[in-house]
Amino acid sequence: MTTALSKHHQQTYDAMFQHPIAHNLHRGDVTAMLGALAEVTEEPNGNLKAVRNGQSLVLHASHDKNITAMDELMMIRHFLERSNAPVAAISEDTGHF
């Protein structure tokens, strides 16, 4: 099964895998992208939990606007790899497959 992402979500996804990895990804953009790829819930303590294909990721609550910590960025990247989240980009000409 392939998941279609909006252009904005696709840009965030691509930034997660660029080399060198981006150090200023907006937390809201990453959360929205994860929501498009996985089931995301907010836990009572404010943490976000993403589950996809039996894999899970917990992002600790933060007041920071951007995700800048390399270990957190790598956790997200590894989650996407482990959960085998195939991505189908939307055609830029028509907005459809």
Side-chain angles (χ1 to χ4, degrees), residues 1-83:
M1 176 179 160
T2 344
T3 303
L5 293 177
S6 70
K7 184 177 178 181
H8 189 71
H9 291 156
Q10 183 68 49
Q11 289 171 338
T12 303
Y13 182 91
D14 292 342
M16 291 298 309
F17 289 94
Q18 75 183 21
H19 183 76
I21 195 166
H23 291 283
N24 60 346
L25 291 173
H26 192 276
R27 187 169 300 279
D29 293 343
V30 173
T31 301
M33 177 209 55
L34 287 172
L37 293 171
E39 182 179 327
V40 177
T41 55
E42 185 172 352
E43 297 179 331
N45 60 3
N47 292 345
L48 290 178
K49 182 176 183 179
V51 177
R52 178 171 169 88
N53 294 334
Q55 299 293 317
S56 63
L57 167 73
V58 175
L59 296 176
H60 297 286
S62 175
H63 297 291
D64 294 333
K65 185 170 121 175
N66 293 324
I67 298 176
T68 56
M70 181 61 78
D71 58 338
E72 189 173 15
L73 292 167
M74 291 307 294
M75 278 184 5
I76 298 166
R77 180 191 276 188
H78 292 152
F79 167 73
L80 293 171
E81 292 171 337
R82 277 192 330 269
S83 66

